[in-house]
Amino acid sequence: MKEATATLIEQMLARVRTGLPAHDNVPHIRRWLDFNNHRFGPVVDAPLGHDHVAILDASLEPERLGHPSRDGGENLTLWWRAMQARVAPRIGIGRYAEDRGIYDHPEEPRDDKARKIHHAIDIFLPAGTDVLCPFMGTIEDFGYDAERHGFGGIVILRHETDDGVPFWTFYGHLAPGGLAILRRGQRVAPGAVIGRLAAETENGDWPPHLHFQLMTHLMGWKAIEVNGLSRSDQWELWREICPNPNIVLGIGADCAAPVARSKAQLLRERQRHLAPSFSLAYETPLKIVRGSGCHLYDETGAAYLDMVNNVAHVGHAHPRVVAAASRQMHALNTNSRYLHDNLATYIRRLAEILPPELSVIYLVNSGSEANDLALRLAHAHTGAHDVVVVDHAYHGHLSSLIDISPYKFDGPGGEGRPAHSWVAEMPDPYRGRLRSGDKEIGPAYAESVATLVMDMIALGRKPMAFIAESIQGCGGQIPFPPGYLKAAYGHVRREGGLCIADEVQVGFGRVGTHWWAFETQGVVPDIVTMGKPIGAGHPLAAVATRPEIAASFANGMEYFNTFGGNPVSAAIGLAVLDVIRDERLLANARNRAAQLMDGLRRLAQQHRVMGDVRGLGLFIGVEFVKDRGTLQPDADALKRLIEAMKSARILLSSEGPHHNVLKLKPPLVISAAECDHFLGMLGRTLRDLSL
């Protein structure tokens, strides 16, 4: 039987790993259980609501459970007894999918091939407690496992869905005396007693409890052969064979433990269910499980210096941001139709760090949503439709924003420029038509915007808006030459258009000298959009505009955003602002930017592949070229560098139309020591790769 079961496991595992269910009945059983769980009665006559139970989390106690003179079962027994005394009179619950590495399996390795992931939920109740049939069933099998740390008395019930598809429930640790009155094939009505919990002496020396397991397949097992544990490297199979039994039990607590799956398992799951348009970083993807400050940590505990995450603006998992979110989640989270201190305080604080002209705030959920709303505001105010954008720009993933993002509509899968989008020349002082040595190149590049506006007018159209990131991101981390935005804004405003500053990537002090990157150009936009760093990883974004534009938008159609302006998001936004202020992060951005730029320029003197070093504050780009004379891009060299730096536990990424720009935009909390470490490893890696 064991050999046949082993073969069946391998066959089913192969199916699961190709994206098929473990067996054909799994999808039907899972759907039926989801929609019919209200039909299950109690399994024990005891209250199992949230206030009556306590989770006994053995996976959190590896050291306390590891006494060298005892085996794993004895350690767990002693711990369970102590925990039950501590949580009494509540009922102790052992979790489904818990990693019980404490169990001794001398013949098996103590790794992901050891059987240690729990298939069931344990309910700790006194010996003699009745165990009940939850749903009309038939006795499939029963038996007695007399082994120490075995199951004691066992009953398996067969049930059927309304369409006659079978599934099973498994009951372990029953008193053996009750088995004598059972017979195979016996029908059992809901609520009927099928056994009683056994005392330790007849229960494998375990404290009295019920091991309750749900099964979609019997795997060829008799009662005493059923496995209550599985290997973690096979969990993607066993979660289908033995799904979470709380769908039957209805315990009012989180009875399922998260299972740490291998990278191979996670990749298969992504490929099976996640849309293929989602990308992964690096040739060999990382599994990241934790973040702190400027570091991300993989499943082994290895730390990676994060040099590209401009979303974790004040550092990963900043304790003040986490605490603010937790406090408010415990109190209230609702929409903006109610008065709330957090919302009022936050919009006031945002307005205080913006130019006084931009006094009206809309709170939304993402940078894309902010930019879409900005377009709606501009249309309501001007009545026009045409938008001037900068070549290679990206403004978001909504349909309205793909239409104004050359990075998308001119890229793979794009359908080309829509008629209402007008693409201005990229003001690139390194490889553009006008170079850094030329005079007044900012206004000269802005003449491209003027020409497009005149072309519109000639066709009987007029500009609705000019939208630009205040520093080009996807275009290659390019700060605009001085005077560019001032001149471009003037050309558009003369014909009645509005000017939108997309600060989704570069706002909130990233440039170091100002709160907003547009301020480095000496301009005040009509509309500012912000996202990414605003919530340090929480989905929060905003639009700021002039009162007269907001008045044009208030045309009778209500604007409502379910989550925009909710108390939790506002609390998080306030915490981010507080951290930026209290930790003096604008000053840190200035100082660390100077340190990085100096170090990068020194490296560029030694490595000609680094053709250009540019940036404002902690928004830096390094362009890799094969030849500094021809400026031929060297995307391959940069790709090799990024992979090598990952091996050195530093995370980097590429940008630009030619994918040859190394982008650096670390959290603003990055330290001088971390910058030195990055520069040292970058220099060593460039030498090792002979670049």
Side-chain angles (χ1 to χ4, degrees), residues 15 20-37 39-40 135 159-168 214-217 240 243 247:
R15 282 174 57 94
L20 296 172
H23 58 87
D24 292 339
N25 287 340
V26 166
H28 174 82
I29 295 170
R30 294 302 298 266
R31 284 193 296 269
W32 189 89
L33 289 169
D34 284 338
F35 287 102
N36 291 276
N37 61 343
R39 295 165 63 179
F40 293 106
F135 188 71
H159 312 277
E160 292 183 355
T161 69
D162 294 339
D163 298 326
V165 176
F167 63 97
W168 295 263
L214 178 62
M215 301 179 69
T216 66
H217 198 287
E240 295 193 3
I247 200 166

Side-chain angles (χ1 to χ4, degrees), residues 596-608:
L596 287 171
M597 292 291 280
D598 287 347
L600 290 167
R601 285 170 176 152
R602 285 196 298 271
L603 287 172
Q605 293 173 359
Q606 305 165 32
H607 302 276
R608 294 188 61 80

Side-chain angles (χ1 to χ4, degrees), residues 334-336 340-351 354 360-367 369-371 373 377 508 528 530-531 534-535 538-545 553 559-574 577:
T334 186
N335 60 56
S336 60
H340 198 277
D341 289 328
N342 288 359
L343 173 58
T345 304
Y346 187 53
I347 56 178
R348 174 180 58 79
R349 289 280 301 278
L350 269 185
L354 285 158
V360 180
I361 309 293
Y362 299 82
L363 294 176
V364 295
N365 306 303
S366 70
E369 198 174 14
N371 280 332
L373 178 56
L377 291 167
F508 290 91
V528 177
M530 55 198 85
I534 187 172
H538 180 79
L540 172 62
V543 179
T545 192
F553 189 63
Y559 179 78
F560 178 69
N561 190 301
T562 302
F563 300 110
N566 72 76
V568 171
S569 293
I572 290 170
L574 282 167
L577 292 178

Side-chain angles (χ1 to χ4, degrees), residues 416-427:
R417 181 182 69 85
H420 68 279
S421 294
W422 301 73
V423 181
E425 181 181 14
M426 162 83 83

Side-chain angles (χ1 to χ4, degrees), residues 164-398:
V165 176
F167 63 97
W168 295 263
T169 51
F170 175 91
Y171 309 78
H173 305 293
L174 305 181
L179 304 180
I181 62 173
L182 303 180
R183 57 184 175 81
R184 292 170 182 84
Q186 173 184 341
R187 294 287 284 168
V188 185
V193 175
I194 59 171
R196 292 179 173 83
L197 294 187
E200 287 192 29
T201 54
E202 51 188 8
N203 172 33
D205 289 338
W206 295 113
H209 71 285
L210 174 67
H211 171 107
F212 181 75
Q213 187 165 318
L214 178 62
M215 301 179 69
T216 66
H217 198 287
L218 272 185
M219 307 301 290
W221 286 325
K222 296 295 184 182
I224 63 171
E225 296 171 332
V226 172
N227 279 345
L229 300 163
S230 63
R231 292 163 40 172
S232 59
D233 67 337
Q234 295 180 344
W235 181 244
E236 55 194 319
L237 164 64
W238 288 106
R239 67 185 178 185
E240 295 193 3
I241 302 301
C242 300
N244 186 346
N246 206 33
I247 200 166
V248 174
L249 293 170
I251 298 172
D254 184 4
C255 299
V259 177
R261 284 159 285 174
S262 69
K263 288 193 282 189
Q265 287 175 309
L266 294 174
L267 277 170
R268 286 193 292 270
E269 198 150 311
R270 281 178 67 107
Q271 291 162 358
R272 188 178 312 151
H273 297 297
L274 191 65
S277 299
F278 286 83
S279 62
L280 273 169
Y282 305 110
E283 293 176 355
T284 303
L286 291 169
K287 180 181 178 183
I288 297 298
V289 299
R290 185 171 68 87
S292 178
C294 287
H295 286 86
L296 293 172
Y297 297 82
D298 69 12
E299 74 279 16
T300 71
Y304 292 80
L305 179 61
D306 187 355
M307 295 297 295
V308 291
N309 201 316
N310 64 329
V311 177
H313 196 58
V314 296
H316 294 281
H318 193 289
R320 290 180 67 179
V321 176
V322 173
S326 178
R327 280 194 305 270
Q328 188 56 52
M329 281 292 288
H330 275 85
L332 172 72
N333 198 20
T334 186
N335 60 56
S336 60
R337 283 197 170 108
Y338 303 97
L339 295 176
H340 198 277
D341 289 328
N342 288 359
L343 173 58
T345 304
Y346 187 53
I347 56 178
R348 174 180 58 79
R349 289 280 301 278
L350 269 185
E352 287 174 352
I353 61 173
L354 285 158
E357 299 94 324
L358 303 174
S359 59
V360 180
I361 309 293
Y362 299 82
L363 294 176
V364 295
N365 306 303
S366 70
S368 289
E369 198 174 14
N371 280 332
D372 179 78
L373 178 56
L375 297 181
R376 290 181 60 190
L377 291 167
H379 173 68
H381 192 67
T382 66
H385 297 276
D386 290 32
V387 180
V388 179
V389 299
V390 178
D391 203 6
H392 303 299
Y394 170 68
H395 295 289
H397 63 79
L398 300 181

Side-chain angles (χ1 to χ4, degrees), residues 86-139:
R86 184 184 303 175
V87 303
R90 290 178 294 165
I91 298 167
I93 301 294
R95 294 190 302 170
Y96 168 75
E98 188 168 73
D99 184 339
R100 293 187 174 174
I102 186 62
Y103 285 126
D104 265 355
H105 293 287
E107 75 284 1
E108 295 179 354
R110 298 182 69 83
D111 55 19
D112 64 354
K113 292 182 172 56
R115 288 195 303 110
K116 58 181 182 175
I117 307 299
H118 194 226
H119 290 173
I121 288 176
D122 293 324
I123 307 174
F124 289 85
L125 288 164
T129 300
D130 287 342
V131 177
L132 312 175
C133 174
F135 188 71
M136 181 62 70
T138 303
I139 294 179

